Amino acid sequence: MDRVAVVTGAKGGLGFETCRQLAERGMKVVLTARRLEVAEEAAARLDGVTAGELDVSDDGSVDAFFTRLADEHGRCDVLVNNAGTIFDGDRGSALDVPADVLLRAIDNNALGAYRCARRALPMMNAEGYGRIVNVSSGMGALNDMGDGYPAYRVSKTALNAITVLLAHQARGDVKVNVICPGWVRTDMGGPSASRSIEESVPGIVWAATLGASGPSGGFFRDGEPIDW
């Protein structure tokens, strides 16, 4: 049986490479982006990947996407919540960044994953199988919380908490985990980042393809647990 995998924010970077690697493992992958034409352009560069329009910050868009997914595939076996960004105005300290920037970051980076998981997790529970992978960051770890980018940090801390909450709602062979890919050379990470996309994506794929004895409700980098 071909697994159906959905990857959010996948027009490039980690999301795009995750789509490629999951497709290579025989999954039916739906590559999503906010605009359908962007998703279609990216999906056309990969074999066995289709495109979907999905704005994780919009309830209507999320509902419409998962309704289409259920109609076309009847299942969602893997959900990789990769969509996330650093918003303009989030370059200073916690005293410099306005509260509305924090709200925007939380809405997109944390609640975006929550919106998608609320639709995907019941489908997975009904089938008795599923893997939800939330792509977070070490910048959201409380044990290593530093200065700078407060909105991004808070949004990723919230995503970590959401992961644990969702893991408690998983049934059967359904697992929910959160991944720190490290500091990656993407458009957001910049050219000076310490890791390549190719080095970081295997940790995401690991969580998306866990066996039945694998963990759930944990925080991982490269398949190894890290502190919250």
Side-chain angles (χ1 to χ4, degrees):
M1 178 180 59
D2 292 335
R3 300 293 188 193
V4 175
V6 174
V7 183
T8 72
K11 68 178 181 180
L14 292 171
F16 182 83
E17 179 62 17
T18 297
C19 288
R20 186 184 71 79
Q21 293 195 21
L22 292 179
E24 286 181 346
R25 285 158 175 77
M27 294 189 187
K28 295 179 178 178
V29 179
V30 184
L31 180 159
T32 74
R34 288 185 175 182
R35 292 189 291 125
L36 182 59
E37 59 270 27
V38 172
E40 289 175 334
E41 181 180 349
R45 294 155 51 198
L46 298 170
D47 293 330
V49 176
T50 59
E53 181 177 346
L54 175 58
D55 180 352
V56 301
S57 67
D58 183 89
D59 289 316
S61 177
V62 172
D63 289 342
F65 172 82
F66 279 96
T67 297
R68 289 193 302 270
L69 186 75
D71 290 342
E72 295 174 9
H73 296 282
R75 60 192 305 115
C76 179
D77 300 294
V78 174
L79 170 64
V80 179
N81 284 312
N82 172 71
T85 191
I86 295 174
F87 286 89
D88 291 340
D90 189 25
R91 304 291 177 178
S93 73
L95 299 180
D96 299 321
V97 175
D100 69 292
V101 177
L102 269 74
L103 286 173
R104 290 179 64 202
I106 293 169
D107 186 48
N108 187 81
N109 299 348
L111 296 185
Y114 182 67
R115 290 183 182 98
C116 292
R118 287 187 68 243
R119 292 299 304 264
L121 187 54
M123 299 169 68
M124 295 175 176
N125 284 342
E127 293 291 334
Y129 177 89
R131 303 289 182 265
I132 295 178
V133 184
N134 294 327
V135 180
S136 184
S137 170
M139 292 174 72
L142 290 174
N143 75 304
D144 192 30
M145 188 64 66
D147 197 17
Y149 304 102
Y152 184 78
R153 290 180 183 277
V154 169
S155 71
K156 292 301 185 178
T157 303
L159 179 59
N160 292 355
I162 285 169
T163 301
V164 178
L165 291 172
L166 293 172
H168 283 289
Q169 302 304 314
R171 303 290 180 264
D173 186 14
V174 179
K175 301 181 186 301
V176 187
N177 288 295
V178 63
I179 300 300
C180 169
W183 185 23
V184 189
R185 290 189 292 276
T186 61
D187 289 343
M188 187 172 69
S192 299
S194 58
R195 308 190 79 189
S196 69
I197 291 171
E198 291 74 18
E199 287 176 302
S200 298
V201 165
I204 298 172
V205 173
W206 168 82
T209 58
L210 281 170
S213 61
S216 186
F219 192 15
F220 300 91
R221 182 187 296 118
D222 297 332
E224 297 295 330
I226 58 176
D227 292 334
W228 297 97

